[in-house]
Amino acid sequence: MNTTLITGIGELTTNAGSDPTDPCGTILDAAVLIEQERIAWVGPSADAPSADDVIDARGRAMIPGFVDSHSHLVFGGDRAAEFEARMAGQRYAAGGIRSTVAATRAATDAELRSRLRGFVDEMLAQGTTTVEIKSGYGLTVADEQRLVRLAAEVTSEVTFLGAHVVPAEYAEHPEEYVDLVCGPMLAACAPHARWVDAFCETGAFTVAQSRRILDAGIARGLRPRLHASQLGPGDGVRLAVELGAASVDHGTYLTDADVTALAGSDTVLTLLPGVEFSTRQPYPDARRLIDAGVTVAIACDTNPGSSFTSSMPFCIAIAVRDMGMTPAEAVWAATAGGARALRRDDIGIIAPGARADLVLLDAPTRIHLAYRPGVPLVARVWKDGAAVR
């Protein structure tokens, strides 16, 4: 059985320590042993076992592969003009999603598949080894089914988001569209998905509609997550907590009651820094959340309208600069936090038995991910024990 030892790691972020002052479980001058697709041993370089192959990290830092727990990667078209208009002062609203729906419906499977794989490769090059992918740009039974089917070709973390917005053809009959989502659309998509989601927001779906949709998904064996409190305060966060959602995402506008509910639950709040960067909405106060005991994740929300970035290092830099997180907290949120948001304990950590998803940085510490924004610091990536970059 072939083994690979990576030794001479100047700073290893394991996310597996027991010291509450070091959430990253840091080991200095460390080594990691890979056996097939799993991690077999972690510890000081001086104590490292022998291996078939040895790689010298030469004092560079290593972190777990990023876990991006919120993305919309299967779509057609482009909304650059919308971005330009926002930069000129136009306010962001959820209605722009419909233009992407039209472009996605017009695209072929081959076009969507090619673009999807391009985005996944783009993410991998920047250290993202696990990605969740949502549907939501088809909004017909056939189109939503093909989006989750295509997403399932590249990840096991697929989310059915037929409740993204009400499509134009149902604009005057939104309840009929909710019936469609909860019935034929869910039946067609559930076999290809692990999660069910809804956009619980003004201009999208009400709390009552979102509850119906999530309950229907749960009855089909899917686990719930929710978009909420992106455009303004509402009751979506507390709905997510009540239903035991793995995560509630955005959280741009949170009340004290929202924060209290999250802190008393195991629902992760997934922050999406690229959205606030692109929409010029206020950045959420991550310091407030963490100090209150809320579990926080960071994801890119890669989509053509409100956050067309696939770079977790970029999102980490924003979280540190504008959301009050320390570099260690931001890296934890982008790795172990994302794993928590997906209810996974085999990724986002570097520990024996975990999947060997590793990122070697061309830097001496993880701090450089925020300290040197925009600089390509990912030197090597291992996914399931295999070097992929």
Side-chain angles (χ1 to χ4, degrees):
M1 188 176 295
N2 188 265
T3 56
T4 299
L5 179 71
I6 306 169
T7 188
I9 302 165
E11 176 193 79
L12 179 65
T13 297
T14 68
N15 292 338
S18 58
D19 182 352
T21 66
D22 178 20
C24 288
T26 308
I27 303 176
L28 303 180
D29 190 14
V32 175
L33 181 68
I34 300 171
E35 188 174 283
Q36 294 186 310
E37 76 278 5
R38 301 278 177 171
I39 295 167
W41 179 91
V42 179
S45 287
D47 300 333
S50 59
D52 299 307
D53 301 303
V54 178
I55 297 169
D56 186 357
R58 303 196 308 276
R60 291 176 289 183
M62 176 173 280
I63 63 174
F66 295 125
V67 180
D68 193 332
S69 60
H70 184 129
S71 83
H72 305 253
L73 298 186
V74 195
F75 63 86
D78 183 273
R79 285 157 66 185
E82 179 185 316
F83 173 81
E84 184 179 40
R86 282 203 305 276
M87 295 306 101
Q90 183 174 305
R91 190 171 183 272
Y92 174 74
I97 294 168
R98 288 176 177 166
S99 65
T100 299
V101 170
T104 303
R105 290 176 177 179
T108 66
D109 279 17
E111 290 168 339
L112 294 174
R113 179 181 287 111
S114 175
R115 200 172 197 194
L116 168 61
R117 292 188 182 277
F119 287 136
V120 171
D121 289 345
E122 187 176 278
M123 288 179 156
L124 198 57
Q126 297 174 91
T128 297
T129 51
T130 300
V131 60
E132 177 263 13
I133 301 175
K134 303 178 191 296
S135 66
Y137 290 124
L139 309 188
T140 67
V141 172
D143 282 303
E144 284 296 295
Q145 193 272 348
R146 73 174 178 143
L147 297 192
V148 292
R149 174 174 50 80
L150 290 170
E153 293 179 0
V154 298
T155 184
S156 61
E157 302 295 345
V158 178
T159 298
F160 166 56
L161 183 61
H164 202 180
V165 293
V166 177
E169 60 268 29
Y170 283 90
E172 302 302 318
H173 308 283
E175 290 299 329
E176 290 184 16
Y177 182 68
V178 173
D179 291 341
L180 180 71
V181 171
C182 294
M185 191 180 288
L186 175 60
C189 293
H192 305 279
R194 183 180 181 215
W195 304 97
V196 60
D197 198 345
F199 191 10
C200 183
E201 200 75 56
T202 300
F205 295 88
T206 67
V207 170
Q209 291 168 338
S210 298
R211 181 189 293 275
R212 276 190 64 200
I213 291 157
L214 296 188
D215 281 343
I218 292 168
R220 282 273 181 175
L222 303 183
R223 302 190 69 176
R225 45 202 326 109
L226 191 68
H227 290 57
S229 298
Q230 176 187 358
L231 305 179
D235 295 327
V237 169
R238 277 161 286 168
L239 172 65
V241 170
E242 177 190 339
L243 295 181
S247 74
V248 58
D249 302 5
H250 287 292
T252 309
Y253 297 92
L254 296 176
T255 66
D256 289 344
D258 291 334
V259 176
T260 299
L262 286 164
S265 76
D266 63 355
T267 297
V268 176
L269 180 64
T270 303
L271 300 175
L272 308 168
V275 173
E276 281 73 40
F277 177 87
S278 179
T279 63
R280 286 182 167 166
Q281 291 179 278
Y283 288 103
D285 184 355
R287 181 80 275 127
R288 170 195 181 199
L289 298 166
I290 293 170
D291 289 349
V294 177
T295 301
V296 172
I298 291 174
C300 288
D301 192 10
T302 309
N303 75 85
S306 62
S307 182
F308 205 5
T309 180
S310 59
S311 173
M312 285 290 260
F314 173 70
C315 291
I316 287 171
I318 295 175
V320 172
R321 168 64 175 78
D322 293 304
M323 295 165 62
M325 300 180 83
T326 67
E329 288 168 341
V331 170
W332 188 95
T335 52
R340 295 269 187 96
L342 295 175
R343 295 289 192 258
R344 297 276 297 273
D345 59 10
D346 61 334
I347 55 176
I349 61 171
I350 299 177
R355 304 203 74 81
D357 293 353
L358 310 168
V359 175
L360 184 65
L361 300 176
D362 194 10
T365 75
R366 57 183 171 258
I367 298 170
H368 284 236
L369 289 165
Y371 178 45
R372 303 197 69 208
V375 178
L377 295 179
V378 175
R380 297 194 66 176
V381 179
W382 289 261
K383 168 66 176 168
D384 295 327
V388 294
R389 184 178 186 278

